[in-house]
Amino acid sequence: MEAPNDPLNQILRVMQSLKDGHQQLTEDVLSIKGRLEVLAHQQCHPQTTNNASDANTQESLKAIPAASLISSPPPTGLEGFTNAPSNSKMASPQRSTATSQSSRIILTTYPGQAGIDPVPMNWGHHDRLQRGPVIVSRSQSSIKRRNAIGAHGGSYSVYHALAIASKNLDVDYRPDFTNSEPAINLGPFPQWADAKKIVSLDPLGHLSPWLFDSMIKDENIHIRPTIAITKAHMKLPELEQSVRFGRLKPDGKICLSDTGELAVTKFAVEPVWFLPGVAERFGIDMKLFLPPIGGLTVYCFGDPSKMSDPNVKLALRIHDECNGSDVFGSDICTCRPYLIFGVEEAVKEAQRGGSGVVVYFRKEGRALGEVTKYLVYNASE
């Protein structure tokens, strides 16, 4: 039996308290709305009012807690979208003039509001249209159709919120995904139709705006991708040494030249957590959570379709972010050498006809964070 002070139990109690408080606030706001409608009617039709009814209305308003009279700001659409650079192929849509009416920032909401009608989510359904899209946008046209909590962009969603709060970005701004389709065709795979196989990312995340385009057009719902796939070239000094010392051999397809330049397919993934069990314990209707944490990037060498082929070998390196070593070459840890070795082995396996993959998680030091890592460094000296 779990202890009463168990961290998970504490979190659940806080979440339940938030839910109860939100429900009470909702009831108070709806009560205020009804009374304001009565007052508005009396102002438009003064001949129908009398002192008794006016007194009753005033007394009803007095009975409402003062905290409930604080108006709630409009939805802010915390999707964490960063505008494409000026040389991008993505066209810039016409921007509206809408701006946030408040400097307050809303990170998420909870069910219980009037008129909520979430788009059905059948996670793991074999028919992609029947499964449905992940909707987390707080735009005016989408907020009542949301079937997930959280925000797009992970930890970057806070910066998007600040841009809206400072009125540097329109509340209902939507990115234009023209010409941003995945650079390769991927799937579907059997695992996509098994709700127990994939629970931390949306397997349809790279197709969402195009797969559900009719819903976007017909119902004006804001749907965004949570996965992006592109192609690139990779060039690192260590890889040139790998070619020079004979560990890698140029083939013109994967290892492109004597400089060690590599052709790579990259997958950027935002986390989408399928949490029916946790949602049930919270007593909410949501099944999906887009947590405000870092995602991951997948670097695939060779044919991406071979990643799931059981008939070929897979060389896989799973690497947690290490800013000090991976970026700045700090000698206090050996993360970058391990990363370079993983890239070399992935390239060699792809050249042998298999598949080579490096998964790079955006969680510094196995999610310790740099502050804790530096403390460990000091303690180990």
Side-chain angles (χ1 to χ4, degrees), residues 356-371:
V357 175
V358 175
V359 179
Y360 195 89
F361 279 96
R362 290 296 195 278
K363 48 187 181 74
E364 180 76 31
R366 300 179 184 177
L368 289 175
E370 285 194 293
V371 171

Side-chain angles (χ1 to χ4, degrees), residues 1 80 210 280:
M1 183 173 180
W210 303 278
E280 183 178 355

Side-chain angles (χ1 to χ4, degrees), residues 233-236 238-240 242-243 246-257 260-265 299-303 306 313-317 339-358:
H233 288 178
M234 176 187 295
K235 191 172 182 180
L236 298 171
E238 291 91 338
L239 296 179
E240 185 173 359
S242 299
V243 173
R247 294 196 299 269
L248 289 182
K249 299 184 183 299
D251 61 357
K253 296 180 179 179
I254 301 172
C255 186
L256 302 177
S257 66
E261 185 174 2
L262 304 178
V264 61
T265 303
Y299 294 83
C300 177
F301 302 95
D303 185 355
K306 292 184 177 181
K313 289 185 177 181
L314 169 66
L316 173 65
R317 166 68 182 174
L339 177 61
I340 297 300
F341 175 78
V343 172
E344 287 184 3
E345 292 301 308
V347 170
K348 287 189 284 188
E349 189 56 55
Q351 288 178 325
R352 289 192 290 263
S355 180
V357 175
V358 175

Side-chain angles (χ1 to χ4, degrees), residues 114-137:
I116 294 296
D117 181 24
V119 171
M121 166 55 64
N122 300 306
W123 190 267
H125 198 288
H126 65 88
D127 185 321
R128 293 181 287 179
L129 295 178
Q130 289 294 322
R131 200 220 66 165
V134 173
I135 302 174
V136 74
S137 170

